[in-house]
Amino acid sequence: MRIILLGAPGVGKGTQAKFICNRFSIPQISTGDMLRESVRDGSNLGKKVKTVMDTGALVTDEIIIDLVKERIKKDDCKKGYLFDGFPRTIPQAEALAQQNIQIDSVIEIRVEEAEIISRLAGRRVHLSSGRVYHMINNPPKQKNQDDLTGEPLIQREDDKEDTIKQRLKVYRNQTEPLVNFYQEKQKEGVLSYQSVDGDKTYDNLFKEILIYLEKL
Ligand code: AP5
């Protein structure tokens, strides 16, 4: 099964991605996590993308497409995968289509902006595992510590309020056109497109997505 999770920053793509990937035993391919890993490693790629990410802009299509092409060659992708945060522009989606990669389903998660801002402002992450918490909605067992390793949680540089607003603007201008792009693909019978209201509990949202995926 090959799935794309589409939606603005903070709608819960990463959170739902983990549930879906566990359920279907497929890898989560998060371009955001891959880029953050390269920043942490201090690689040339990391040096190139850090400032762009910190300001809430998008990394170039060229870099992202190369990154994804390499990732999906790995053995764990043979039975499928879930893209979380990719594609994010029309050229990225076209690059995917040009590779003859058959996507089964695009799931769009929708949440109002005020709720997104509160979700992102309260988010804390464990960088090395990508585990995500929320200070109120999903707090760690011990304040500011990852449940499994006890290591400190951090606030992402791009989760400051001004940067969140910038990311939402970038989403509206550069990523939202993909809604129409993939709805058209559904009309052509190429894939299934499902839009879900993300303003519900973690579990209820997952249940709704699961009912849809199990019918595919
Ligand atoms: P990326 O890491 O992909 O960030 P994003 O798309 O902005 O998404 P987020 O990780 O912020 O949010 P999410 O939807 O995963 O929400 P989450 O589940 O964490 O990208 C970062 C940057 O990398 C980009 O800005 C760009 O620079 C670059 N980049 C990445 N991919 C790129 C690409 N393809 N092209 C170009 N550049 C790229 O949830 C958020 C919070 O809400 C958490 O605290 C969570 O606990 C809480 N929460 C989740 N669900 C619920 C719920 N149902 N109820 C209450 N709270 C909830």
Side-chain angles (χ1 to χ4, degrees):
M1 177 161 348
R2 298 195 186 107
I3 304 169
I4 291 174
L5 273 192
L6 184 62
V11 295
K13 299 183 299 297
T15 303
Q16 293 300 322
K18 292 217 162 20
F19 296 151
I20 298 168
C21 289
N22 275 341
R23 173 69 182 73
F24 293 97
S25 303
I26 51 174
Q28 171 188 1
I29 302 185
S30 159
T31 40
D33 283 350
M34 290 161 82
L35 294 168
R36 276 185 291 279
E37 196 180 324
S38 65
V39 171
R40 260 199 330 278
D41 293 349
S43 67
N44 283 340
L45 171 64
K47 284 177 195 145
K48 251 193 239 170
V49 299
K50 183 176 185 325
T51 319
V52 178
M53 292 175 75
D54 286 351
T55 56
L58 292 186
V59 171
T60 64
D61 290 333
E62 214 181 358
I63 290 180
I64 296 291
I65 291 164
D66 284 349
L67 208 59
V68 170
K69 269 191 195 163
E70 283 309 305
R71 178 64 185 88
I72 60 179
K73 280 184 196 159
K74 295 199 173 159
D75 276 355
D76 63 342
C77 292
K78 282 192 176 132
K79 284 200 294 183
Y81 39 80
L82 178 149
F83 286 129
D84 161 15
F86 172 86
R88 229 158 163 127
T89 62
I90 297 282
Q92 290 179 19
E94 283 170 344
L96 202 54
Q98 276 157 18
Q99 296 281 303
N100 288 325
I101 292 165
Q102 170 68 51
I103 298 296
D104 300 294
S105 167
V106 177
I107 303 171
E108 178 202 0
I109 306 179
R110 291 173 286 104
V111 172
E112 293 293 325
E113 279 200 19
E115 171 66 12
I116 287 181
I117 293 171
S118 128
R119 287 186 185 185
L120 289 181
R123 173 165 64 181
R124 296 295 180 271
V125 296
H126 178 241
L127 265 189
S128 60
S129 68
R131 275 187 286 280
V132 173
Y133 300 83
H134 188 280
M135 288 193 305
I136 297 161
N137 306 340
N138 178 31
K141 290 180 187 132
Q142 298 288 329
K143 199 172 173 204
N144 261 329
Q145 286 181 18
D146 176 50
D147 287 350
L148 295 190
T149 63
E151 287 167 357
L153 302 178
I154 61 128
Q155 181 171 32
R156 269 170 48 176
E157 202 53 48
D158 59 351
D159 278 349
K160 310 275 157 71
E161 193 162 336
D162 282 351
T163 318
I164 295 171
K165 289 188 175 150
Q166 175 60 20
R167 287 161 65 200
L168 289 170
K169 203 164 135 195
V170 168
Y171 177 79
R172 282 192 295 272
N173 292 336
Q174 300 192 54
T175 308
E176 214 164 44
L178 289 174
V179 169
N180 190 43
F181 179 92
Y182 281 119
Q183 282 174 342
E184 287 302 313
K185 296 277 174 211
Q186 160 154 279
K187 286 184 197 151
E188 292 163 21
V190 172
L191 48 76
S192 167
Y193 187 95
Q194 180 75 9
S195 180
V196 293
D197 177 1
D199 197 4
K200 41 179 77 82
T201 65
Y202 297 69
D203 286 354
N204 284 343
L205 180 55
F206 179 52
K207 272 183 207 149
E208 186 176 331
I209 292 175
L210 202 53
I211 288 171
Y212 156 70
L213 285 175
E214 284 178 340
K215 275 194 215 146
L216 280 184

